[in-house]
């Protein structure tokens, strides 16, 4: 059974700081996704990572994948308040298996 | 439409009642997925359709849950004899061809089900 674990579960940061969210998974997969969810809203796709060493960047967010370590990271650079949301990683088979989410709060 | 739509957005029902939740996928998407998200948790897979057929229903928790997609587009998730533990947000997603290397699932806004 595929298990996906994220940490931390909750992250409170000051604006301008950097931080990394970690996503570990238990079995091999050829795709890993990162989604963002705002309170009361659905999930917005941020990144899809397809191969070992893949790195994708969008604005202040950068995601990477190490398939050998079964680890993906989501790095936040110089956080701003608008990044406050819950971030999920999801590992793909026929369906997606999600981590428990990281609730990010960026304080002014 | 431009995205995945779900109706109703909220549903309040009493224990023991029957409910139906509807999902309209993105036009042309052959794959459709249902997930359930409890408060403070990540979505959990329920069932996956490829076209009209259920390709994987291993996530359905018990036989009170059933889903159909008779024409390969709209899908309905049906829950019989609802229980309080069924309360959650039910999310629908669709993807272009279900599992291709670059296939991304696009999620609808969800239906919040509350069983009293």
């Amino acid at each position: 059974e595929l298990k996906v674990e994220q940490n931390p579960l909750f992250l409170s940061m000051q604006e301008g700081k950097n931080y990394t969210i970690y996503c570990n998974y238990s079995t091999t997969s050829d795709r890993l996704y990162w989604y963002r969810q705002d309170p009361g809203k659905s999930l917005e796709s941020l990144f899809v990572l397809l191969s070992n060493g893949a790195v994708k960047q969008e604005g202040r967010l950068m995601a990477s994948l190490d398939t050998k370590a079964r680890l993906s990271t989501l790095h936040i650079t110089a956080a701003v308040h608008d990044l406050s949301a819950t971030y999920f990683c999801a590992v793909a088979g026929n369906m997606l298996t999600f981590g428990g989410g990281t609730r990010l709060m960026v304080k002014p | 439409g431009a995205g995945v739509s779900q109706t109703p957005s909220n549903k309040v029902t009493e224990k023991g009642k029957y409910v139906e939740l509807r999902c309209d996928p993105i036009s042309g998407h052959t794959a459709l997925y249902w997930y359930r998200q409890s408060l403070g948790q990540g979505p959990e897979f329920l069932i996956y359709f490829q076209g009209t057929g259920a390709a994987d229903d291993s996530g359905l928790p018990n036989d009170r849950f059933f889903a159909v997609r008779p024409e390969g587009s709209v899908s309905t998730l049906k829950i019989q004899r609802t229980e309080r533990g069924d309360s959650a947000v039910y999310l629908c997603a669709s993807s272009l061809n279900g599992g291709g290397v670059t296939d991304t699932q696009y999620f609808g806004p969800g239906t919040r089900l509350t069983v009293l």
Side-chain angles (χ1 to χ4, degrees):
Chain A
E1 179 187 355
L2 174 59
K3 293 189 184 298
V4 182
E5 293 187 355
Q6 281 181 244
N7 68 84
L9 298 181
F10 180 77
L11 177 56
S12 179
M13 324 175 41
Q14 294 293 127
E15 279 193 330
K17 298 293 186 182
N18 303 333
Y19 209 84
T20 301
I21 299 170
Y22 297 88
C23 174
N24 290 89
Y25 55 100
S26 60
T27 63
T28 57
S29 171
D30 60 0
R31 281 169 291 145
L32 187 141
Y33 296 84
W34 284 94
Y35 284 88
R36 169 181 172 146
Q37 188 175 38
D38 291 288
K41 305 292 185 182
S42 192
L43 293 102
E44 173 192 355
S45 176
L46 295 174
F47 301 109
V48 54
L49 302 167
L50 301 176
S51 60
N52 189 43
V55 176
K56 289 198 174 178
Q57 183 165 4
E58 180 73 33
R60 301 174 187 274
L61 300 178
M62 183 174 70
S64 66
L65 179 62
D66 181 342
T67 58
K68 293 180 181 178
R70 296 177 188 163
L71 170 68
S72 181
T73 60
L74 181 66
H75 187 73
I76 303 153
T77 301
V80 294
H81 179 68
D82 286 352
L83 290 180
S84 297
T86 300
Y87 293 86
F88 292 97
C89 65
V91 178
N94 282 338
M95 76 294 285
L96 295 177
T97 302
F98 284 83
T102 297
R103 185 179 170 200
L104 173 65
M105 290 184 60
V106 181
K107 300 179 179 179
Chain B
V4 179
S5 62
Q6 293 185 245
T7 55
S9 55
N10 281 283
K11 176 71 177 178
V12 180
T13 191
E14 294 179 344
K15 181 175 178 296
K17 299 291 188 182
Y18 168 82
V19 296
E20 290 189 353
L21 312 179
R22 177 187 167 107
C23 172
D24 280 272
I26 293 172
S27 178
H29 280 195
T30 64
L32 185 146
Y33 310 79
W34 284 99
Y35 295 83
R36 178 168 70 174
Q37 186 175 24
S38 299
L39 189 63
Q41 298 183 19
E44 294 179 318
F45 168 75
L46 295 176
I47 186 170
Y48 153 53
F49 287 90
Q50 185 63 259
T52 60
D56 186 341
D57 65 357
S58 61
L60 294 177
N62 51 59
D63 61 5
R64 295 187 297 106
F65 289 74
F66 188 71
V68 295
R69 194 186 185 200
E71 297 180 357
S73 179
V74 170
S75 176
T76 305
L77 178 65
K78 308 180 181 192
I79 310 174
Q80 298 177 321
R81 305 184 303 279
T82 52
E83 300 177 356
R84 292 192 181 90
D86 299 335
S87 296
V89 175
Y90 289 81
L91 294 167
C92 176
S94 70
S95 69
L96 186 59
N97 55 27
V101 172
T102 59
D103 214 33
T104 294
Q105 293 183 26
Y106 297 91
F107 283 80
T111 294
R112 181 176 298 278
L113 175 66
T114 303
V115 182
L116 301 176

